[in-house]
Amino acid sequence: MNAAPEGELHPWLLPAWERLQAHVEGGRLPQALLIHGPSGLGKAALAERFAHRLLCTGAGTRPCGRCAGCHLLAAGTHPDYRRIAPEEPGKPIRVDAIRRLIGDLALKAQYEGYRVSLIERAEQMNVSSANALLKTLEEPAEHNLIILVAEAPSRLPPTILSRCQKIAITPPTAAEAAHWLSLRQPGIAADTLLNAAGGSPLRALALADSDVVERRRRVFEEFRAIADQRQDPVAVAERWHALSHEECLDWMLCWLPDLIRLAVGASPLRVRNADVLPELQRLAAGLGPRGLLNYWRELLALRQALGTQANRQLLLEETLIRWSRLGSRHG
């Protein structure tokens, strides 16, 4: 569910697409672009569409789908297009992949126009990979465009960030996302499904026919039980091992802001996770806002750490142990 249907761009991607188009029309296309934003918004699909736009030989502002360039792209055999991504989720982009890309960029384009390279999850380049790419960015070849796509651009070296033109993808508001989702899945509980999908409309659409809402509810019950000292955090982490670590942490990161709001006396109307409001209120009554805020910051750091080579299960255990300790201090 990352790509929009041919001819359609998701509405929250339109401002970024217009900026990209302006670069082309104004003859100001940079040597490197960084498209960044939260997961589940279609960043890679936008980057790929823009690459196709540049390599399409037809007239118009979008890929025509009929020219030789479009046919080669559809077959995955265009000689002037390269796409790099981590070999496995959570694994780094290795230096060998970047070196092969650099070698390709040293060759002359086989068609007139640009050579385009797309690097997905660019923040997962290891130190050697980033250093190798930096040398290419420092001495860019004419008519070469490198597009980096990242969820956590702060993890990229400043030297790479400074050489990229940045395009931020802004998520739709909760109301906009719910409206978009309801048009595609009439009759569903859009708000609850969006919360289960971490606010991502594309992920929510992909999960519409799954058990994600019930799975999220079970995770929330155990999350609450740990704070109440009714569950062992290590045992819960073991049960969550079969689930997506990213998914569990994303849900926790969604519940924590609501707990902080309630702990400081905010109106329940400001709570995003209305489906678990009574439980959140009971939790917030026994937890201090400062401890919750610090824990939320720890979760943000741990969520980023899942993209490294750290032991993911150990990270989850440590996260839940700290949650248990926070609950015991304010119980």
Side-chain angles (χ1 to χ4, degrees):
M1 278 300 170
N2 281 338
E6 190 62 37
E8 177 189 344
L9 278 171
H10 301 307
W12 57 88
L13 295 177
L14 289 174
W17 180 259
E18 289 169 1
R19 282 192 64 190
L20 292 169
Q21 288 286 83
H23 282 304
V24 177
E25 293 166 4
R28 304 186 308 273
L29 196 64
Q31 300 290 339
L33 283 166
L34 171 61
I35 299 177
H36 63 94
S39 65
L41 295 179
K43 298 184 300 299
L46 176 69
E48 185 171 25
R49 180 179 289 245
F50 186 59
H52 288 198
R53 156 76 174 88
L54 293 175
L55 296 170
C56 171
T57 58
T61 60
R62 296 189 181 187
C64 70
R66 299 181 299 274
C67 69
C70 286
H71 286 307
L72 288 169
L73 286 163
T77 57
H78 200 297
D80 296 331
Y81 179 57
R82 293 290 182 270
R83 184 169 184 160
I84 295 175
E87 294 180 0
E88 299 177 36
K91 297 295 184 181
I93 296 174
R94 301 189 181 280
V95 68
D96 290 346
I98 300 298
R99 285 174 177 161
R100 286 194 295 272
L101 171 63
I102 293 170
D104 290 339
L105 294 179
L107 303 174
K108 184 179 179 181
Q110 296 193 32
Y111 288 82
E112 292 185 6
Y114 276 87
R115 293 181 66 96
V116 184
S117 307
L118 172 59
I119 304 177
E120 291 187 56
R121 297 305 301 267
E123 70 269 41
Q124 291 183 210
M125 288 187 291
N126 59 29
V127 173
S128 298
S129 300
N131 287 339
L133 180 65
L134 178 61
K135 294 179 181 178
T136 297
L137 296 179
E138 288 174 337
E139 301 173 359
E142 190 175 2
H143 297 303
N144 271 347
L145 173 64
I146 299 176
I147 307 175
L148 286 75
V149 179
E151 292 178 16
S154 61
R155 286 172 48 197
L156 287 166
T159 47
I160 286 182
L161 289 173
S162 66
R163 287 167 173 79
C164 295
Q165 177 72 48
K166 300 170 186 63
I167 304 286
I169 306 300
T170 304
T173 66
E176 290 168 343
H179 175 70
W180 180 88
L181 187 59
S182 296
L183 291 176
R184 284 150 183 81
Q185 289 284 339
I188 65 169
D191 292 337
T192 300
L193 189 58
L194 281 164
N195 286 334
S200 162
L202 295 181
R203 193 180 301 141
L205 184 60
L207 295 173
D209 295 325
S210 73
D211 66 344
V212 65
V213 173
E214 178 57 31
R215 192 165 68 246
R216 171 178 168 269
R217 181 72 194 195
R218 291 197 302 268
V219 169
F220 179 79
E221 290 299 332
E222 292 189 309
F223 173 74
R224 185 165 66 103
I226 291 172
D228 293 339
Q229 312 300 301
R230 293 184 287 108
Q231 289 276 5
D232 174 50
V234 176
V236 172
E238 181 63 30
R239 287 196 291 274
W240 289 6
H241 183 64
L243 306 175
S244 162
H245 293 72
E246 287 86 356
E247 187 175 63
C248 291
L249 274 176
D250 283 346
W251 289 337
M252 292 167 69
L253 281 165
C254 186
W255 298 323
L256 258 294
D258 279 348
L259 285 170
I260 294 168
R261 294 185 188 102
L262 293 169
V264 298
S267 167
L269 295 176
R270 295 187 58 198
V271 169
R272 176 177 171 182
N273 296 276
D275 59 310
V276 289
L277 175 59
E279 295 95 330
L280 288 170
Q281 288 176 313
R282 285 193 290 272
L283 264 179
L287 296 168
R290 180 174 297 178
L292 287 169
L293 181 59
N294 289 336
Y295 186 68
W296 176 69
R297 289 169 176 160
E298 290 178 13
L299 284 182
L300 289 173
L302 286 166
R303 181 63 176 83
Q304 288 197 8
L306 290 182
T308 69
Q309 293 180 289
N311 186 312
R312 296 157 68 85
Q313 187 62 19
L314 184 59
L315 284 176
L316 183 58
E317 289 179 9
E318 291 174 348
T319 298
L320 295 183
I321 288 171
R322 282 197 287 273
W323 177 238
S324 176
R325 289 171 180 166
L326 184 63
S328 68
R329 288 198 299 269
H330 297 278

